[in-house]
Amino acid sequence: MKNNLLRPVFKKKVKILGPCLFLVGPIGTFFSRLSIYLEKKDVKTYKILFPLHEYGFPKAKSIIYSKKIIYFKDFLRKIILEKEIKHIFMYGNVLIPHRQAIDLVEELKSENIQVYTHIFELGYLRPNYVTLENKGVNYESSFILNKKFFAQQKSYEVFPFARQEGLRFRKIWKSITFINHCFTKYKIVDYEHKLQPRPIYLWYQFKGFLLKYFYRIKENKVKRRIFSSHPFFMVILQVSSDSQIKKGSQIGDNYQFIEYVIKNFSKSRIKNVNLIFKHHPRDRGYNNYSKIIKSKSIQYGISNCTFYIHDYYLSKIFQNPNCRGTVLVNSTVGYQSLFHSIPVKSLGKSPYNFDGLTDQRDLISFFKDPHKVDKQLFCKFYRYILENSQINGNFDGFFPFDDVFLL
């Protein structure tokens, strides 16, 4: 199936029924933009301002909360009742205040008080998309269903063509906010997370910027060789602090994932096939897995066919006829691999990890003979996910507010 000028349609509109409350948003000014949009439509909006400050909200709309996060739930209940809040917006469901908010909304239902939660996240179908769900995202998504459900949905005859955004000047606010957060000590996550950064993260960010160009030069020859010589399997590494690994899988971290994949690839005993690990671009300045990949590939006797690379266009990888399959935990790369009909073995919980789309056998069997992707099923799955959770836009640039909200 080919792209044409058909535009993506987001069918799951958000009907605004009353005052809206904003918790922690994406780093930057997206929530303030959404607040301004709603205010212009005569909707009252309020923002909980934690010590991890967010910009763009006037004092009249700001509600300060700086006490320990364990007491936030009671505070939130009071605000919801006082302001007659009908909608709560948040970015992701990992942060402690967001989990408390989701739990509280369920409790209020039993008291016949209806409040709706709306959770933004980076797009499942990247690039050029933003995700919006009600109760959870990724491994807690409401779209984790089954083959039977998606098989009953409508299919695309032609994939829609997403609007692409050019220069996003608002990204400067991401840097300003990130720096502010680095020097503000306030716990909103149970573990290390980029929404709760430390000062050293500023160095990691700068280091990552430099390494992008260093690796482009250093890895140029090996990339040309490994992508043009033998068949290969791609192994996708995720951000080290990603809750997808910590909460959405039985894999403890990238180190365990790396050893598990290398061990099983060795046991598969396939010949003249490469195993290529790809580093996550957002984790570039924070971690390097070259030592463990090298040591484990030597330990399991496959050092001659195991490689480790950084930035590279995924579309080129998946359009390469030598690509046999993709191994990952539950990265959104799974959607891209399936889009190109490249078999996927997922070791974590995600909407796409079900029989028909991903290989449900053990990893050794996958390496020996990866199951093909059911293209028709994927088209149905893709259309349902796109129309019910994906918004063609981004947090820093164009966002189709009028297409998403009913007022």
Side-chain angles (χ1 to χ4, degrees):
M1 292 188 177
K2 298 180 180 180
N3 288 332
N4 72 349
L5 296 179
L6 179 68
R7 293 298 184 189
V9 175
F10 178 72
K11 289 186 175 180
K12 194 175 182 180
K13 312 296 185 184
V14 178
K15 187 174 183 179
I16 302 299
L17 302 173
C20 299
L21 179 68
F22 294 91
L23 300 184
V24 180
I27 291 181
T29 60
F30 176 70
F31 270 7
S32 66
R33 291 169 59 204
L34 177 52
S35 173
I36 292 170
Y37 169 81
L38 293 173
E39 288 282 346
K40 287 181 178 179
K41 302 291 184 178
D42 296 321
V43 177
K44 290 184 178 181
T45 65
Y46 303 92
K47 175 69 172 76
I48 301 288
L49 277 181
F50 298 95
L52 295 171
H53 191 71
E54 294 177 68
Y55 297 92
F57 291 93
K59 289 184 178 180
K61 301 297 178 183
S62 301
I63 301 171
I64 307 298
Y65 183 84
S66 58
K67 295 181 181 179
K68 289 185 178 180
I69 206 66
I70 57 173
Y71 306 121
F72 177 68
K73 190 174 181 180
D74 292 335
F75 177 83
L76 180 60
R77 171 186 279 270
K78 181 181 177 182
I79 295 300
I80 289 174
L81 297 178
E82 282 185 358
K83 306 294 185 183
E84 298 181 333
I85 300 298
K86 290 297 181 183
H87 302 271
I88 301 177
F89 292 93
M90 63 192 82
Y91 180 60
N93 51 241
V94 173
L95 304 188
I96 297 172
H98 295 176
R99 296 205 312 266
Q100 291 178 342
I102 293 169
D103 290 343
L104 177 58
V105 166
E106 289 301 312
E107 293 174 10
L108 291 173
K109 280 184 181 180
S110 64
E111 303 172 25
N112 294 318
I113 300 173
Q114 183 67 61
V115 181
Y116 301 91
T117 54
H118 308 284
I119 305 172
F120 284 99
E121 180 58 275
L122 296 174
Y124 295 152
L125 309 179
R126 300 179 193 175
N128 307 311
Y129 287 101
V130 163
T131 296
L132 179 59
E133 290 207 48
N134 292 336
K135 297 183 179 180
V137 293
N138 295 318
Y139 59 91
E140 292 187 338
S141 170
S142 60
F143 301 116
I144 298 179
L145 299 164
N146 53 46
K147 179 179 181 180
K148 182 179 179 180
F149 175 85
F150 289 111
Q152 296 172 346
Q153 306 305 315
K154 293 181 180 180
S155 175
Y156 275 131
E157 293 183 4
V158 180
F159 283 120
F161 184 75
R163 167 175 171 169
Q164 299 182 23
E165 188 71 22
L167 181 65
R168 293 177 283 172
F169 63 90
R170 296 185 186 90
K171 292 184 80 172
I172 189 172
W173 285 104
K174 297 180 74 170
S175 300
I176 294 172
T177 307
F178 189 80
I179 292 171
N180 172 278
H181 289 190
C182 282
F183 293 97
T184 304
K185 190 175 182 180
Y186 186 74
K187 184 176 181 179
I188 58 170
V189 192
D190 290 323
Y191 50 89
E192 285 196 8
H193 197 283
K194 289 184 177 63
L195 286 175
Q196 185 180 270
R198 295 181 285 117
I200 190 64
Y201 285 17
L202 294 173
W203 160 241
Y204 293 153
Q205 290 285 330
F206 181 66
K207 178 182 175 183
F209 173 78
L210 298 177
L211 287 175
K212 178 179 180 178
Y213 299 97
F214 171 75
Y215 288 133
R216 181 178 295 180
I217 298 171
K218 180 184 178 183
E219 298 175 352
N220 183 49
K221 288 184 179 180
V222 70
K223 286 175 181 175
R224 283 190 293 175
R225 178 164 59 88
I226 62 179
F227 288 127
S228 62
S229 56
H230 298 294
F232 60 86
F233 284 94
M234 287 304 303
V235 185
I236 306 300
L237 299 176
Q238 293 175 224
V239 174
S240 59
S241 61
D242 195 340
S243 64
Q244 288 274 74
I245 298 179
K246 296 178 178 293
K247 304 288 186 179
S249 78
Q250 298 299 315
I251 304 293
D253 53 35
N254 278 331
Y255 291 95
Q256 292 184 27
F257 175 58
I258 289 168
E259 179 170 13
Y260 181 77
V261 172
I262 290 176
K263 180 179 179 180
N264 281 271
F265 188 78
S266 174
K267 287 183 176 181
S268 70
R269 300 182 184 278
I270 54 177
K271 304 297 182 182
N272 299 316
V273 178
N274 290 331
L275 186 68
I276 305 174
F277 287 85
K278 183 183 179 301
H279 196 91
H280 195 291
R282 289 176 57 206
D283 208 33
R284 193 188 307 111
Y286 292 77
N287 293 282
N288 185 295
Y289 300 102
S290 58
K291 288 184 179 179
I292 184 174
I293 290 173
K294 182 178 180 180
S295 65
K296 292 303 177 182
S297 62
I298 292 173
Q299 178 183 340
Y300 291 103
I302 58 169
S303 59
N304 63 322
C305 60
T306 303
F307 300 90
Y308 176 46
I309 65 169
H310 290 76
D311 303 271
Y312 201 82
Y313 291 110
L314 288 168
S315 59
K316 287 186 177 180
I317 292 174
F318 295 141
Q319 290 172 8
N320 189 321
N322 285 328
C323 187
R324 281 195 177 181
T326 305
V327 181
L328 42 72
V329 179
N330 41 18
S331 167
T332 55
V333 172
Y335 294 94
Q336 298 177 59
S337 182
L338 293 168
F339 181 89
H340 292 282
S341 296
I342 299 298
V344 172
K345 177 59 185 175
S346 173
L347 303 178
K349 193 176 180 182
S350 66
Y352 58 76
N353 191 13
F354 62 89
D355 181 40
L357 287 192
T358 59
D359 202 316
Q360 300 299 301
R361 301 170 301 158
D362 61 84
L363 188 52
I364 295 175
S365 299
F366 177 76
F367 283 133
K368 288 182 176 180
D369 182 28
H371 279 177
K372 293 182 178 180
V373 178
D374 184 333
K375 293 183 180 180
Q376 187 64 25
L377 180 61
F378 174 73
C379 288
K380 294 180 177 182
F381 168 79
Y382 186 93
R383 178 170 183 169
Y384 188 85
I385 293 294
L386 188 151
E387 293 185 348
N388 291 279
S389 71
Q390 302 300 288
I391 301 167
N392 183 197
N394 59 70
F395 295 128
D396 306 311
F398 167 76
F399 190 90
F401 293 108
D402 287 331
D403 296 337
V404 176
F405 300 98
L406 294 176
L407 298 153

